[in-house]
């Protein structure tokens, strides 16, 4: 029987990527993971991320995480001849990704309306902080200020006991979410093009991406809850912390039995979901009385064996060694001039195709426009 060799699902598609930093580039990297040819247009200085730590021999692994698999072309969009070549390149493309402020691409004549005249099947994805239109569209945006203005940071503060100001912003939720929504929108547009023969313009905002992260809080802001939802907190162990989630009645009863405290099941403070909601701090204190006598690994092992949702707190370095993640091939080794390192793969597998990072990182200007025309 002939064996089928899986291919990458988006093989044969061409992407021209004008984006920098994280949100746009992560979307185009995902498209590369799925098989598309991604041509990254950079200025002579290169994407700012090329200079960002961690660095080895001047090569940024942060840049590689977000941009592996792409082909770097240096192009000065203010040079009329080079701009004409860029437009010719886009005529051969299926997808354009950009994350300039609204209006910048229009000034270069690289807006969707202009480009789709000669390439009606073009899918054009614009990623911005607040969207392409509206009273806030022109505001400068990074993930951190979007987190603040979306309500995300004050929502997190509301659920903390020991903080008196919003937490320092170091994880770029807005960028990653926008990249994922952009990928979803691009693939939806590709499906639509199969039926209509025409491409379309996609407008993705970081702000709306973060608001979508908070379904409960969007509703609770409109209809304040009489009883606050339970806030699951770390339980201290002999060597760190675990998080335990006795969310349903069944979860709670399994927790009580696994810890040897069957009496919790009939305790009037904890016997029902409503009772636990009303006495949640007491419940957590009671659970911690059990966890604080054991190591994090022991707590996780005992409770997981009893089908109680529980996880010990680990560093990213520890997570990199997780045997389940290794089994899942969650990481891909990529190579640049300075050597090998791991990047994350997309968190899904497909039975009919390969989904993984392309294991190379292009040097700035490694390719020329003429290579693709």
């Amino acid at each position: 029987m002939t064996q089928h060799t899986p291919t990458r699902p988006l093989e044969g598609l061409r992407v021209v990527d004008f984006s920098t930093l994280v949100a746009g580039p992560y979307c185009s990297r995902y498209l590369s993971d799925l098989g598309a040819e991604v041509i990254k247009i950079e200025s002579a200085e290169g994407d700012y991320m090329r200079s960002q730590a961690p660095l080895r021999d001047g090569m940024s692994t942060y840049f590689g995480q977000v941009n592996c698999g792409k082909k770097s072309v240096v192009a000065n969009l203010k040079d009329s001849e080079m701009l004409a070549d860029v437009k010719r390149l886009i005529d051969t493309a299926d997808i354009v990704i950009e994350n300039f402020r609204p209006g910048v691409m229009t000034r270069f004549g690289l807006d969707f309306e202009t480009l789709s005249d000669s390439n009606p099947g073009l899918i054009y994805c614009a990623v911005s902080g607040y969207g392409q239109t509206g009273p806030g569209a022109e505001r400068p945006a990074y993930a951190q200020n979007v987190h603040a203005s979306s309500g995300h940071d004050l929502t997190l503060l509301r659920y903390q006991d020991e903080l008196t100001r919003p937490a320092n912003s170091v994880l770029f939720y807005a960028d990653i979410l926008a990249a994922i929504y952009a990928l979803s929108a691009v693939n939806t547009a590709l499906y639509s093009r199969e039926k209509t023969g025409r491409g379309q313009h996609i407008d993705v905002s970081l702000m709306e991406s973060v608001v979508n992260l908070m379904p409960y809080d969007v509703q609770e802001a409109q209809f304040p809850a009489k009883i606050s939802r339970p806030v699951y907190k770390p339980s201290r162990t002999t060597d760190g912390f675990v998080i335990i989630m006795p969310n349903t009645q069944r979860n709670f009863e399994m927790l009580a039995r696994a810890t040897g405290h069957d009496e919790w099941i009939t305790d009037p403070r904890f016997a029902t979901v409503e009772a636990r909601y009303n006495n949640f701090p007491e419940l957590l204190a009671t659970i911690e009385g059990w966890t604080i006598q054991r190591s994090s690994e022991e707590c996780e092992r005992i409770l997981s064996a009893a089908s109680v949702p529980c996880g010990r707190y680990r560093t990213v370095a520890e997570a990199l060694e997780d045997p389940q993640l290794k089994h899942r091939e969650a990481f891909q080794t990529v190579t640049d001039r300075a050597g090998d390192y791991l990047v994350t793969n997309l968190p899904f597998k497909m039975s009919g195709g390969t989904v993984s990072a392309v294991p190379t990182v292009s040097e700035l200007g490694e390719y020329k426009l003429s290579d693709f025309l």
Side-chain angles (χ1 to χ4, degrees):
M1 187 171 72
T2 303
Q3 281 213 322
H4 172 66
T5 302
T7 59
R8 295 179 185 264
L10 299 185
E11 279 184 6
L13 295 178
R14 172 172 281 184
V15 180
V16 180
D17 178 19
F18 293 92
S19 61
T20 61
L21 298 176
V22 179
Y26 231 168
C27 173
S28 55
R29 200 216 98 172
Y30 294 152
L31 291 167
S32 171
D33 291 2
L34 292 166
E37 177 188 47
V38 179
I39 302 166
K40 182 177 177 68
I41 305 296
E42 300 187 67
S43 67
E45 296 76 27
D47 188 328
Y48 173 76
M49 296 293 288
R50 286 187 179 273
S51 65
Q52 297 307 291
L55 294 162
R56 309 110 61 249
D57 297 332
M59 302 295 291
S60 168
T61 61
Y62 193 2
F63 174 84
Q65 165 86 29
V66 179
N67 291 280
C68 57
K70 305 176 189 179
K71 300 174 179 179
S72 172
V73 171
V74 169
N76 178 6
L77 300 181
K78 296 179 181 178
D79 180 295
S80 58
E81 290 187 14
M82 192 164 286
L83 180 61
D85 283 343
V86 168
K87 289 181 177 178
R88 287 173 56 210
L89 173 65
I90 293 172
D91 280 343
T92 72
D94 299 278
I95 302 158
V96 162
I97 307 286
E98 64 97 352
N99 65 349
F100 291 111
R101 272 212 218 167
V104 171
M105 291 290 273
T106 301
R107 291 197 288 275
F108 288 117
L110 296 174
D111 54 284
F112 172 69
E113 289 73 17
T114 300
L115 297 175
S116 61
D117 280 346
S118 55
N119 186 356
L122 182 67
I123 294 164
Y124 188 111
C125 182
V127 181
S128 62
Y130 300 100
Q132 296 297 305
T133 61
E138 297 292 332
R139 291 174 58 193
Y142 286 115
Q144 293 94 328
N145 57 286
V146 170
H147 298 166
S149 58
S150 67
H152 172 271
D153 288 351
L154 286 182
T155 294
L156 284 183
L157 178 62
R158 171 186 172 193
Y159 296 122
Q160 308 308 310
D161 292 332
E162 300 171 5
L163 294 181
T164 58
R165 65 171 66 196
N168 297 336
S169 187
V170 292
L171 298 177
F172 304 150
Y173 306 110
D175 286 323
I176 308 307
L177 283 169
I180 295 166
Y181 285 124
L183 174 68
S184 176
V186 166
N187 284 325
T188 302
L190 286 168
Y191 177 73
S192 177
R193 190 176 71 173
E194 287 296 307
K195 297 188 292 182
T196 67
R198 296 197 64 83
Q200 58 186 293
H201 184 271
I202 297 166
D203 175 358
V204 179
S205 85
L206 274 65
M207 179 73 156
E208 290 159 273
S209 297
V210 176
V211 170
N212 271 275
L213 186 62
M214 305 180 288
Y216 172 85
D217 298 283
V218 165
Q219 295 307 313
E220 206 271 338
Q222 301 171 77
F223 311 103
K226 295 179 181 179
I227 301 175
S228 177
R229 66 172 170 170
V231 179
Y232 293 97
K233 302 176 183 179
S235 294
R236 188 176 293 279
T237 65
T238 58
D239 59 356
F241 298 91
V242 292
I243 186 84
I244 301 171
M245 303 280 291
N247 198 33
T248 66
Q249 186 67 26
R250 183 169 179 269
N251 289 156
F252 173 70
E253 292 179 7
M254 290 188 297
L255 168 68
R257 295 187 180 102
T259 57
H261 287 284
D262 290 34
E263 73 276 8
W264 293 352
I265 297 173
T266 55
D267 188 318
R269 297 172 300 167
F270 312 140
T272 65
V273 171
E274 184 178 1
R276 291 194 294 277
Y277 274 30
N278 286 320
N279 296 282
F280 210 70
E282 292 176 69
L283 173 62
L284 294 182
T286 301
I287 293 171
E288 190 168 82
W290 180 83
T291 63
I292 204 165
Q293 302 175 54
R294 293 163 176 81
S295 70
S296 298
E297 186 280 331
E298 186 182 5
C299 292
E300 184 180 59
R301 176 169 45 80
I302 291 171
L303 296 181
S304 295
S307 297
V308 178
C310 172
R312 59 190 172 97
Y313 284 75
R314 301 185 299 187
T315 65
V316 174
E318 289 173 321
L320 284 169
E321 298 301 319
D322 186 297
Q324 178 64 18
L325 289 176
K326 288 185 175 182
H327 170 78
R328 292 276 300 167
E329 298 180 339
F331 306 102
Q332 170 72 40
T333 299
V334 302
T335 305
D336 63 17
R337 177 165 36 86
D340 296 344
Y341 54 97
L342 296 176
V343 303
T344 52
N345 277 324
L346 278 162
F348 58 83
K349 313 296 180 189
M350 300 181 72
S351 64
T354 300
V355 180
S356 65
V358 177
T360 56
V361 181
S362 182
E363 299 265 2
L364 178 63
E366 184 174 335
Y367 296 84
K368 307 297 180 187
L369 280 169
S370 57
D371 294 335
F372 306 104
L373 297 174

